[in-house]
Amino acid sequence: MYVKVEELKEGNVLLEDVISKAPEPLMVKDTILTSWHIKILEAFLIDKVAIGGASMGMVVENAGLPAEEKKRAAVPVQTKTNFFEVYLRSVDEYKKEFHKWQAGSGVDIIQIREIILPLLDEVTADPGLFSKLYQCAEKENYYCHHSVVTGLLSGAVAAQLNYEKGFVIQTALAGALADCGMARINPRILLKETSLTAGEKKEVDKHPVLSYKMVKDINLLNPETKIAVFQHHERMDGSGYVNGAKAENLPPISRIVAAADVFHAMTSDKLYRKRQTLFKVMEMFEQDFFGKFDLPTVKALTALFTKLASGTAVRLSDGQLANVLFMKQQHPTRPLLKLQANESIIDLEKRRDLHIEEVL
């Protein structure tokens, strides 16, 4: 029985795998749906799914089971852990921490580690997951999504640059906590649906200092990690804030978090503006922002999104569909493609009027 996603209830059981654009099923057959599963289906714009269970597709009941069986049946069962479910759960957990900070509580670094580190292991093993995370974004919860993804991007870039595990973890934590000071900004400003006034921007620009004050006494964070939280809006050429620090005063973690923070911000929907595409922003880092960000960091960040196998389907900025023929090491955002419509070859390095809009 096929049921629209908006009509699903917790306890419904999938009769078949749910397929999205990813090579593996989004959810597998026999998964007992929870609110998390339903939220993921909505995020991936799934229209209908096949469900079964008691009463021709209704919610699975525990009636008639022994007490111990009822207890076990109350626990959702799934045959395979889904990365996107864990991600959405982590964003919700981060949101709870953010609300605690707004109420005046300090940072629970153990909880932040538990939110970030399981996801970090997944994305460092499979960076291709980053391209799919944008399907889970919610602009109403932008700051929580932003903090989690900035942490993951920061850690993944550090791993891409071959830093040791401890450094990777500290970099991820710096990214995840860089904006914790936003909790001390007037909520009215954070929820505003139009561009900020000069006065409101000045208020928001205080958040690196506020973030640093919230992490400075945490023993499990290294000094360089705390500095990165403070410096994540500094730029290599001295054009950033709070102190206008230049390259010689920006340690590696600061350089990584700064790039990850801007990259995710530009490629995310906010209440007052739409996101820009991943490949367009990568090219802006290489061209428009040249000199502002650390070059090895930018190359490592770009590599997370451009390891596309031959045959990978993409949508171009003019709407055409194509497949990757060859990725260019020197120009990773401008591969050689074959158009699906007429099988003609197109070299994006020569066609500057086009760019990759989406990896399918």
Side-chain angles (χ1 to χ4, degrees):
M1 174 179 178
Y2 282 89
V3 176
K4 284 186 172 292
V5 169
E6 60 264 28
E7 297 174 0
L8 292 174
K9 298 178 181 179
E10 293 185 55
N12 289 147
V13 181
L14 292 178
L15 287 182
E16 58 186 38
D17 292 350
V18 178
I19 307 299
S20 66
K21 296 176 182 177
E24 296 182 350
L26 180 63
M27 292 178 195
V28 295
K29 178 182 177 182
D30 296 327
T31 295
I32 300 176
L33 297 180
T34 67
S35 60
W36 298 105
H37 296 107
I38 296 170
K39 192 172 183 180
I40 291 167
L41 292 170
E42 292 172 345
F44 277 76
L45 304 178
I46 303 299
D47 183 35
K48 296 179 180 179
V49 295
I51 63 169
S55 304
M56 291 299 291
M58 294 300 101
V59 177
V60 174
E61 301 289 349
N62 298 332
L65 293 176
E68 187 60 30
E69 289 296 319
K70 285 184 180 180
K71 184 176 180 181
R72 283 200 294 267
V75 179
V77 177
Q78 62 182 71
T79 57
K80 181 179 178 181
T81 301
N82 184 281
F83 171 80
F84 301 103
E85 177 186 358
V86 177
Y87 169 75
L88 288 172
R89 192 191 303 270
S90 297
V91 171
D92 274 359
E93 290 300 318
Y94 193 98
K95 185 177 181 179
K96 292 176 184 176
E97 296 303 304
F98 192 86
H99 286 165
K100 291 178 184 178
W101 301 335
Q102 287 181 312
S105 296
V107 173
D108 182 348
I109 191 61
I110 300 300
Q111 178 65 7
I112 298 301
R113 285 174 61 94
E114 291 177 354
I115 290 171
I116 296 297
L117 298 192
L119 293 170
L120 181 61
D121 290 338
E122 294 276 356
V123 296
T124 51
D126 182 8
L129 291 169
F130 279 117
S131 296
K132 304 299 181 183
L133 279 180
Y134 293 88
Q135 299 178 39
C136 300
E138 307 163 294
K139 60 183 179 182
E140 296 80 7
N141 287 325
Y142 164 74
Y143 288 105
C144 297
H145 281 277
H146 177 64
S147 293
V148 172
V149 179
T150 298
L152 298 178
L153 279 174
S154 298
V157 167
Q160 191 77 23
L161 291 169
N162 295 317
Y163 283 106
E164 51 88 19
K165 182 69 172 180
F167 184 95
V168 170
I169 291 173
Q170 289 287 315
T171 306
L173 293 175
L177 291 169
D179 280 354
C180 66
M182 286 291 192
R184 304 295 162 83
I185 301 297
N186 189 326
R188 178 187 60 79
I189 297 176
L190 301 184
L191 297 174
K192 189 176 180 184
E193 297 187 6
T194 57
S195 299
L196 301 182
T197 65
E200 290 167 339
K201 186 178 184 307
K202 185 176 181 180
E203 182 71 15
V204 169
D205 286 352
K206 296 177 182 177
H207 79 270
V209 176
L210 298 173
S211 296
Y212 176 75
K213 288 180 178 179
M214 291 173 65
V215 304
K216 66 183 180 67
D217 295 323
I218 299 176
N219 293 330
L220 291 179
L221 296 179
N222 292 339
E224 294 83 0
T225 306
K226 300 172 186 178
I227 291 172
V229 169
F230 178 73
Q231 291 185 326
H232 73 279
H233 278 288
E234 302 287 4
R235 300 293 177 256
M236 299 288 284
D237 60 1
S239 62
Y241 68 93
V242 177
N243 290 333
K246 292 187 176 182
E248 58 269 22
N249 294 315
L250 298 177
I253 296 184
S254 296
R255 299 180 182 198
I256 292 171
V257 175
D261 174 71
V262 171
F263 184 84
H264 184 259
M266 294 184 67
T267 54
S268 300
D269 285 321
K270 294 185 178 181
L271 288 171
Y272 57 88
R273 67 155 173 78
K274 292 185 177 181
R275 71 183 185 95
Q276 300 185 66
T277 62
L278 296 173
F279 279 73
K280 183 177 180 180
V281 173
M282 281 186 272
E283 293 193 343
M284 291 176 69
F285 265 76
E286 295 177 353
Q287 301 165 15
D288 301 357
F289 301 157
F290 185 79
K292 293 185 179 297
F293 297 97
D294 178 59
L295 188 55
T297 295
V298 171
K299 289 183 176 180
L301 181 60
T302 300
L304 294 177
F305 294 89
T306 55
K307 293 181 179 179
L308 304 182
S310 178
T312 299
V314 298
R315 178 180 289 108
L316 297 178
S317 52
D318 64 353
Q320 294 187 90
L321 300 180
N323 296 94
V324 172
L325 288 180
F326 178 71
M327 296 298 295
K328 302 178 182 181
Q329 186 174 1
Q330 296 301 317
H331 302 282
T333 62
R334 298 256 156 206
L336 195 67
L337 306 173
K338 181 171 71 172
L339 295 178
Q340 292 183 8
N342 54 21
E343 297 192 343
S344 61
I345 307 301
I346 181 170
D347 186 349
L348 287 186
E349 189 179 352
K350 297 177 180 177
R351 288 293 306 273
R352 292 286 167 173
D353 57 316
L354 296 174
H355 64 269
I356 294 175
E357 186 85 13
E358 182 184 7
V359 178
L360 303 176

